[in-house]
Amino acid sequence: MNVFALTFAVMLAVVLLELFALRYWRREAIPWREIIFNLNSGHIVMWVFRGVEVAGFGLLLQYANLHLVDRLPVFWQWVFAFVAWDLSFYCMHRAHHTWRIFWAVHVVHHQGEHFSLSLGIRNSWYSSLTSFLFVAPLAVLGLPLEMFVAASSFHYAVQLYNHNAFVGKSGWLDRVLVTPSNHRVHHAMHPAYLNKNFGGTFLIWDKLFGSYQAERDDIPLRYGVSGASPGYNPFWASNQGLLAWTRRRFGGAEGRAPRLPAAYIATGGILLFGMVIYYVDRVAGWDAVGKWSVFACLVAGTIAIGGMSDQRRWGWTGWLALTLAMPALCAGPLSIRDGWALCLLALLLIHGLAGLRLREAAWAN
């Protein structure tokens, strides 16, 4: 398994472990529709745009490099990478909350109402594109590409941790780092907490620029944003804010389908995420037709699951079609025969067919 697929697998594992711990230790009800949306919201389209961000950084290094950083000793290049990237993130994050066009992208992350590790994964498809504007100066200054990728990956891992639901206060760390306590403040809806704690890893930027707010024991924590819920369709979630910004109408009227069990949505979403991991691990060995065909299936799958969560008839129909098409595609033109893929495809097919019976039972009631 390559490093990217392994990262996805570990991410899925820690998200599920935390959820099961919340369920069995704290007796919390798990909002599976939201969790599955969080997992699939940015994948895998967001990671394509992450590739565009990295490629754009490389082009700037090649054609606009002032060679100020890459002439420093290697140690100081690394120091610059970790500190400067975090400052760039602070500026980007604050802009996301200040400028309407950026908020139209970033709002997807804040619409989550369940504070847990999966919320750290919830993002708009276009989040990496907005990030590029703020990291581009690092390329012009000459930060090597491998250091940019390493520093950003480290900080993103810290931010995933900062969305965990178990860590309360972190002692002296709460005064120097963006800990889970500090980041809960950022997500909370109370007026005292709005537009506070924009930092990613280091708290110094919030303290320098006057945006720091400590978590207070006398203020209850409630997460999300005011206004209508966007539903669970990742296409609309990523695009409706932008369409509203351009004053265009979005969405459409359609009759509701019966509500499928949350367990059905959850297992379908996890199976699809398993196929994402497989795709990331094996895609390098496929031809262009295979790569883009499976990619299109995975994107369609995230949208179909969102449609089922929103009780849309097309969502269930699309999911059934997908669970029939993916095994045919992978076993036919792609000639996939390894055990992991066959197991995932068989489970997807069974899952889709099981939905037939569930849907009939739901309609009967």
Side-chain angles (χ1 to χ4, degrees):
M1 184 178 290
N2 65 43
V3 65
F4 300 107
L6 181 61
T7 299
F8 275 43
V10 171
M11 185 167 60
L12 177 61
V14 296
V15 165
L16 293 178
L17 283 173
E18 182 195 40
L19 291 172
F20 288 125
L22 289 172
R23 179 69 183 90
Y24 291 105
W25 289 354
R26 291 189 179 177
R27 304 298 180 185
E28 290 187 13
I30 304 301
W32 282 108
R33 288 177 174 80
E34 180 174 332
I35 300 302
I36 294 304
F37 173 86
N38 293 350
L39 284 172
N40 291 322
S41 60
H43 302 300
I44 58 176
V45 178
M46 185 185 73
W47 290 101
V48 171
F49 289 128
R50 167 67 168 164
V52 172
E53 177 193 2
V54 173
F57 194 95
L59 287 173
L60 284 178
L61 273 174
Q62 184 175 356
Y63 296 109
N65 192 344
L66 298 178
H67 297 288
L68 298 178
V69 175
D70 52 15
R71 292 175 179 171
L72 297 172
V74 173
F75 173 79
W76 291 109
Q77 290 182 44
W78 280 110
V79 171
F80 177 85
F82 282 94
V83 175
W85 191 94
D86 199 57
L87 175 58
S88 299
F89 178 87
Y90 174 88
C91 296
M92 178 269 293
H93 199 184
R94 188 158 187 170
H96 275 169
H97 286 257
T98 304
W99 298 344
R100 188 177 174 190
I101 186 173
F102 286 152
W103 176 247
V105 173
H106 187 57
V107 66
V108 177
H109 181 61
H110 279 267
Q111 286 167 336
E113 298 177 355
H114 188 260
F115 196 90
S116 61
L117 287 173
S118 72
L119 182 58
I121 304 171
R122 179 185 181 120
N123 276 297
S124 165
W125 287 351
Y126 314 116
S127 58
S128 285
L129 295 183
T130 60
S131 299
F132 179 73
L133 298 174
F134 297 90
V135 299
L138 306 185
V140 175
L141 291 173
L143 177 65
L145 182 62
E146 64 274 14
M147 293 186 180
F148 165 71
V149 173
S152 59
S153 299
F154 168 80
H155 285 294
Y156 285 138
V158 171
Q159 290 167 40
L160 176 66
Y161 163 79
N162 284 338
H163 289 86
N164 84 79
F166 277 97
V167 175
K169 299 293 182 68
S170 301
W172 65 270
L173 291 176
D174 288 331
R175 298 192 293 273
V176 296
L177 299 177
V178 180
T179 58
S181 174
N182 287 323
H183 201 62
R184 284 194 294 271
V185 168
H186 177 71
H187 274 271
M189 296 177 64
H190 193 279
Y193 289 161
L194 289 180
N195 294 326
K196 299 295 183 180
N197 298 3
F198 298 110
T201 299
F202 304 124
L203 203 58
I204 186 174
W205 316 120
D206 283 298
K207 292 191 172 183
L208 279 177
F209 301 119
S211 54
Y212 174 66
Q213 172 62 55
E215 183 179 1
R216 290 168 47 180
D217 294 333
D218 61 323
I219 296 179
L221 293 169
R222 189 166 67 91
Y223 308 108
V225 296
S226 59
S229 169
Y232 300 105
N233 183 336
F235 174 81
W236 285 122
S238 288
N239 289 285
Q240 71 168 353
L242 293 171
L243 291 171
W245 178 72
T246 60
R247 302 185 185 279
R248 295 179 182 273
R249 298 186 65 183
F250 54 88
E254 182 192 353
R256 293 276 182 172
R259 188 176 180 86
L260 292 170
Y264 185 77
I265 303 296
T267 52
I270 293 169
L271 285 173
L272 188 68
F273 202 91
M275 283 303 301
V276 169
I277 295 171
Y278 180 85
Y279 176 83
V280 172
D281 188 45
R282 302 300 175 89
V283 65
W286 297 348
D287 60 25
V289 174
K291 291 177 182 178
W292 288 108
S293 297
V294 177
F295 178 85
C297 286
L298 293 173
V299 174
T302 65
I303 295 173
I305 287 179
M308 287 194 297
S309 292
D310 286 338
Q311 295 177 254
R312 300 297 183 185
R313 295 175 183 174
W314 60 261
W316 180 87
T317 304
W319 180 250
L320 177 61
L322 181 79
T323 57
L324 295 174
M326 283 196 72
L329 173 66
C330 293
L334 290 179
S335 300
I336 293 174
R337 299 290 186 270
D338 63 275
W340 185 17
L342 291 177
C343 180
L344 281 171
L345 291 169
L347 290 172
L348 275 172
L349 181 59
I350 293 169
H351 192 273
L353 294 175
L356 281 170
R357 185 172 182 83
L358 288 172
R359 192 166 185 262
E360 290 174 358
W363 274 114
N365 293 329

